[in-house]
């Protein structure tokens, strides 16, 4: 596995791969790699000849009061994990390399600030869209792998790549969970033992929603009321949103029909957690 920190070096690597007719799969991450990330790397190996993983904690997608500074970083451990999973190139640019002095451009997918995480994280998805487009322009992949865990992010990135004719195929992989149901996330490391127990309310409420849908419930309000009860019983009081939407358009649904996304976000202690389930109704 080659570790590359410069844009020019990453470009040369990708150009050489392309010249040999190799297909490249790309997994962008913020590092602190866990089973969720590694599931994307495994899928990437099946989707292409070569796999590039990037590790970049993107300052553009953090709000001024968010956790950019304390976001967990562990490059040595990450490099070992990526190598073990068969990653071919690890791209680890510095903030300066990505955003040199004089940098001014942002990509915005219209409407993303009006739903779900967009409402409480202004500028977040334009930060995400911008960094992913930059990374795609450097890595030049055939296929991009994203996790369903960040459902809105996947919708925004897909839309952006399609709208800007990037010619990159997107594969969205299922959410990896801990044995007890908690969605694996780098931010879980912030949780105390008590918070970790309470955080389970999030996945429990989503699993309840899924059970209700399976037994025939179609009214969004009834499902959300059930979810609220589960969250409050678990001790999750600071709920940011509980929403039932069309999975592709992210428009709210009053009755569940078609490809449905049930999404939740809550603060447990100081940690903001998100989770979702996607259902074909
Ligand atoms: P992050 O490092 O949090 O920016 O995540 C990098 C990629 O890994 C994104 O596409 C995420 O959606 C994906 N990801 C994060 N957690 C999980 C998970 N538990 N299961 C599946 N994919 C995940």
């Amino acid at each position: 596995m080659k570790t590359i920190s410069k844009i020019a070096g990453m470009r040369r690597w990708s150009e050489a791969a392309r010249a040999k007719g190799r297909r490249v799969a790309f997994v962008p991450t913020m590092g602190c790699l866990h089973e969720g990330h590694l599931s994307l790397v495994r899928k990437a190996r099946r989707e292409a000849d070569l796999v590039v993983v990037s590790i970049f904690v993107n300052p553009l997608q953090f709000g001024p009061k968010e956790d950019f500074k304390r976001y967990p970083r562990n490059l040595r451990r990450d490099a070992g994990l990526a190598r073990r999973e068969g990653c071919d190139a690890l791209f680890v640019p510095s903030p300066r390399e990505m955003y040199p002095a004089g940098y001014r451009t942002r990509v915005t997918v219209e409407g993303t600030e009006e739903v779900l995480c967009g409402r409480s994280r202004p500028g977040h998805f334009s930060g995400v869209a911008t960094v992913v487009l930059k990374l795609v322009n450097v890595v030049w992949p055939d296929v991009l792998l994203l996790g369903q865990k960040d459902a809105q992010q996947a919708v925004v990135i897909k839309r952006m790549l399609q709208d800007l004719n990037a010619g990159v195929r997107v594969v969205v992989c299922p959410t990896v969970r801990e044995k007890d149901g908690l969605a694996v996330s780098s931010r879980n490391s912030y949780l105390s033992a008590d918070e970790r127990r309470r955080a389970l309310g999030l996945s429990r409420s989503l699993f309840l929603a899924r059970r209700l849908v399976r037994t025939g419930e179609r009214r969004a309000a009834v499902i959300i009321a059930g979810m609220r009860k589960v969250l409050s019983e678990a001790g999750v009081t600071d709920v940011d949103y509980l929403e039932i939407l069309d999975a592709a358009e992210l428009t709210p649904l009053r009755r569940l029909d078609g490809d449905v996304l049930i999404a939740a976000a809550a603060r447990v202690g100081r940690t903001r957690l998100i989770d979702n389930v996607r259902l074909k109704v």
Side-chain angles (χ1 to χ4, degrees):
M1 182 183 80
K2 200 165 162 63
T3 300
I4 302 167
S5 61
K6 295 291 180 205
I7 287 169
M10 189 65 242
R11 276 237 163 81
R12 275 197 301 277
W13 186 95
S14 288
E15 276 164 11
R18 287 247 167 173
K20 287 185 213 141
R22 302 284 184 85
R23 285 171 312 140
V24 174
F26 176 40
V27 181
T29 81
M30 298 206 297
C32 189
L33 298 182
H34 53 58
E35 266 308 307
H37 300 120
L38 301 180
S39 75
L40 305 190
V41 177
R42 281 174 215 132
K43 177 73 174 162
R45 283 178 50 197
R46 298 197 292 274
E47 293 286 326
D49 305 308
L50 296 169
V51 177
V52 179
V53 174
S54 67
I55 295 178
F56 180 61
V57 184
N58 174 33
L60 227 56
Q61 72 189 66
F62 288 79
K65 290 189 183 142
E66 292 183 359
D67 55 344
F68 174 69
K69 282 222 174 95
R70 71 179 184 124
Y71 196 85
R73 293 161 169 89
N74 195 340
L75 185 55
R76 268 185 60 181
R77 179 176 167 277
D78 287 350
L81 289 169
R83 179 180 296 114
R84 208 175 315 148
E85 289 300 339
C87 166
D88 298 283
L90 188 65
F91 183 44
V92 287
S94 67
R96 254 299 153 92
E97 182 72 4
M98 292 295 278
Y99 305 113
Y103 184 89
R104 290 168 62 131
T105 304
R106 257 180 185 267
V107 185
T108 305
V109 178
E110 279 179 18
T112 48
E113 305 227 324
E114 283 128 53
V115 288
L116 302 177
C117 295
R119 278 203 295 261
S120 53
R121 303 189 72 187
H124 169 71
F125 287 109
S126 105
V128 169
T130 303
V131 79
V132 171
L133 184 62
K134 282 173 67 67
L135 290 167
V136 160
N137 284 338
V138 174
V139 173
W140 209 18
D142 299 274
V143 49
L144 180 72
L145 291 102
L146 303 170
Q148 176 61 29
K149 158 84 170 31
D150 300 276
Q152 187 176 12
Q153 171 169 289
V155 169
V156 169
I157 292 173
K158 264 192 188 164
R159 182 84 258 160
M160 182 266 294
L161 294 173
Q162 192 182 322
D163 286 356
L164 298 180
N165 310 105
V168 180
R169 188 160 60 88
V170 175
V171 174
V172 181
C173 303
T175 301
V176 173
R177 298 180 178 281
E178 305 284 0
K179 276 204 184 72
D180 58 8
L182 183 73
V184 177
S185 163
S186 309
R187 290 194 168 97
N188 292 349
S189 66
Y190 298 154
L191 300 170
S192 69
D194 174 58
E195 289 168 349
R196 171 72 180 71
R197 266 193 299 279
R198 284 192 283 139
L200 270 184
L202 221 55
S203 53
R204 273 198 201 129
S205 73
L206 290 161
F207 298 159
L208 167 80
R210 190 165 60 193
R211 280 201 304 280
L212 289 172
V213 175
R214 281 184 182 153
T215 52
E217 184 57 65
R218 295 291 178 268
R219 293 165 297 177
V222 172
I223 296 169
I224 287 175
M227 293 174 72
R228 267 197 203 291
K229 189 156 171 272
V230 172
L231 281 164
S232 115
E233 280 166 8
V236 180
T237 48
D238 193 356
V239 177
D240 185 1
Y241 61 73
L242 288 181
E243 290 200 47
I244 300 185
L245 318 101
D246 177 90
E249 299 300 325
L250 300 186
T251 45
L253 296 173
R254 288 177 60 181
R255 277 193 74 79
L256 280 71
D257 185 28
D259 190 358
V260 173
L261 179 74
I262 307 183
R267 243 180 215 86
V268 180
R270 284 171 65 203
T271 307
R272 187 172 180 280
L273 300 172
I274 59 171
D275 196 355
N276 69 82
V277 291
R278 195 173 162 169
L279 306 167
K280 302 263 192 261
V281 179

